[in-house]
């Protein structure tokens, strides 16, 4: 029983890393590289890993979660803006793409920085969660 418990704990400790490595290896073998045009994944095996970038609707997006099967701009992606520019605010679908402390967005022509984690509100809907950046 002790050996079984040790094996179980080892599996729990390494499974996420192994799944990400397998996912990345599958994408590489299929000729999918970061920065290419987004293609709807069939399942977790060909989904996009966290940090992966894709092009979609003329914009560059970065995956915010592991095994991302969602369409960029809908859920679990963040638009990548040119250096020094804040992307347009997009309504988060939930905790996977909520804004966190330090995230900057452009909203109604002004730049705002989130001062809370898990921020799913616009600067108008919850002003206490944002600071105006000059």
């Amino acid at each position: 029983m002790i050996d079984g418990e040790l094996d179980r704990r080892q599996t729990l400790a390494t499974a996420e890393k192994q799944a990400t490595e397998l996912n990345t290896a599958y994408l590489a073998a299929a000729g999918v590289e970061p920065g290419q045009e987004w293609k709807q994944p069939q399942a977790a095996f060909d989904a996009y890993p966290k940090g992966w970038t894709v092009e979609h609707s003329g914009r560059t997006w970065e995956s915010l979660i592991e095994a991302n099967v969602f369409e960029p701009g809908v859920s679990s992606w963040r638009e990548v803006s040119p250096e020094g520019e804040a992307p347009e605010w997009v309504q988060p679908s939930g905790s996977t793409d909520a804004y966190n402390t330090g995230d900057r967005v452009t909203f109604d022509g002004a730049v705002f920085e989130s001062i809370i984690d898990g921020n799913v509100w616009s600067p108008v809907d919850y002003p206490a969660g944002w600071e105006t950046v000059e």
Side-chain angles (χ1 to χ4, degrees):
M1 286 188 353
I2 292 173
D3 286 340
E5 178 61 17
L6 291 173
D7 288 344
R8 184 187 76 81
R9 289 180 185 191
Q10 180 65 25
T11 298
L12 289 173
T14 61
E16 183 177 350
K17 181 179 180 214
Q18 290 175 349
T20 299
E21 289 172 354
L22 283 170
N23 176 229
T24 302
Y26 178 88
L27 291 172
V32 180
E33 298 177 2
Q36 291 180 332
E37 187 67 27
W38 177 81
K39 180 180 172 188
Q40 178 66 60
Q42 298 172 27
F45 69 88
D46 67 342
Y48 295 96
K50 185 176 185 176
W52 198 278
T53 58
V54 297
E55 295 293 322
H56 185 62
S57 298
R59 299 187 281 181
T60 302
W61 301 86
E62 181 179 352
S63 175
L64 300 175
I65 62 171
E66 295 293 348
N68 193 343
V69 297
F70 300 105
E71 181 180 356
V74 175
S75 180
S76 304
W77 294 88
R78 181 76 25 87
E79 184 179 359
V80 177
S81 294
E83 188 67 32
E85 292 183 27
E88 285 292 323
W89 180 85
V90 175
Q91 175 67 60
S93 61
S95 63
T96 61
D97 55 354
Y99 296 99
N100 291 310
T101 302
D103 288 343
R104 290 185 175 195
V105 298
T106 301
F107 186 84
D108 283 344
V111 177
F112 294 87
E113 184 173 303
S114 178
I115 56 173
I116 60 172
D117 288 336
N119 193 346
V120 297
W121 303 278
S122 76
V124 169
D125 293 330
Y126 187 62
W130 298 93
E131 279 186 351
T132 305
V133 177
E134 308 211 37

